[in-house]
């Protein structure tokens, strides 16, 4: 199963957001859209900087339960209770300690590669700033 996130979704809302961090474009997913696609639950607590995002679902390959807690403005997330730098394993060391969820116009965007890795889904980019396909299994 796959799903392509375009720059705009069916309703004309932004599905992707690209943050310029340390000279690199970082792809961000709409939090709710990503959670719904992978059949995970999502909940939000608070607002603005410090808002928390709770995404609970299953790893696509193993079926293991995955619980992720992210905080707007924080580069540290919790995955199954363990603190993890969101940029851990990023292909650009300059991004370490710099990537965090953002709130843009009332919509929360979360780091795409981090969530894809946490939930065991593959992502495929089709051109810089264009579309991205998420592949389950």
């Amino acid at each position: 199963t796959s799903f392509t996130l375009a720059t705009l979704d069916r309703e004309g809302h932004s599905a992707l957001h690209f943050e310029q961090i340390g000279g690199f474009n970082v792809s961000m997913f709409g939090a709710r859209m990503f959670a719904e696609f992978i059949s995970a639950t999502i909940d939000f607590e608070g607002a603005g900087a410090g808002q928390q995002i709770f995404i609970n679902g299953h790893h696509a390959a193993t079926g293991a339960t995955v619980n992720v807690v992210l905080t707007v403005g924080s580069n540290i997330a919790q995955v199954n209770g363990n603190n993890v730098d969101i940029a851990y394993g990023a292909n650009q060391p300059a991004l370490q300690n710099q990537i965090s969820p953002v709130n843009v116009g009332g919509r929360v965007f979360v780091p795409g590669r981090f969530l894809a890795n946490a939930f065991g889904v593959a992502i495929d980019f089709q051109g810089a700033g264009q579309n991205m396909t998420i592949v389950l299994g």
Side-chain angles (χ1 to χ4, degrees), residues 19-35:
E19 281 284 301
Q20 201 46 261
I21 301 174
F24 299 97
N25 277 327
V26 176
S27 303
M28 311 286 268
F29 297 155
R32 185 171 305 281
M33 182 175 290
F34 178 81

Side-chain angles (χ1 to χ4, degrees), residues 68-113:
V68 175
V69 180
L70 300 121
T71 303
V72 171
S74 175
N75 67 298
I76 300 297
Q78 285 189 355
V79 178
N80 294 333
N82 298 309
N83 289 340
V84 179
D85 185 327
I86 291 172
Y88 179 77
N91 55 2
Q92 299 295 336
L95 296 177
Q96 299 292 322
N97 302 315
Q98 296 187 54
I99 300 175
S100 65
V102 296
N103 188 315
V104 179
R107 294 181 58 117
V108 175
F109 293 89
V110 292
R113 185 165 307 281

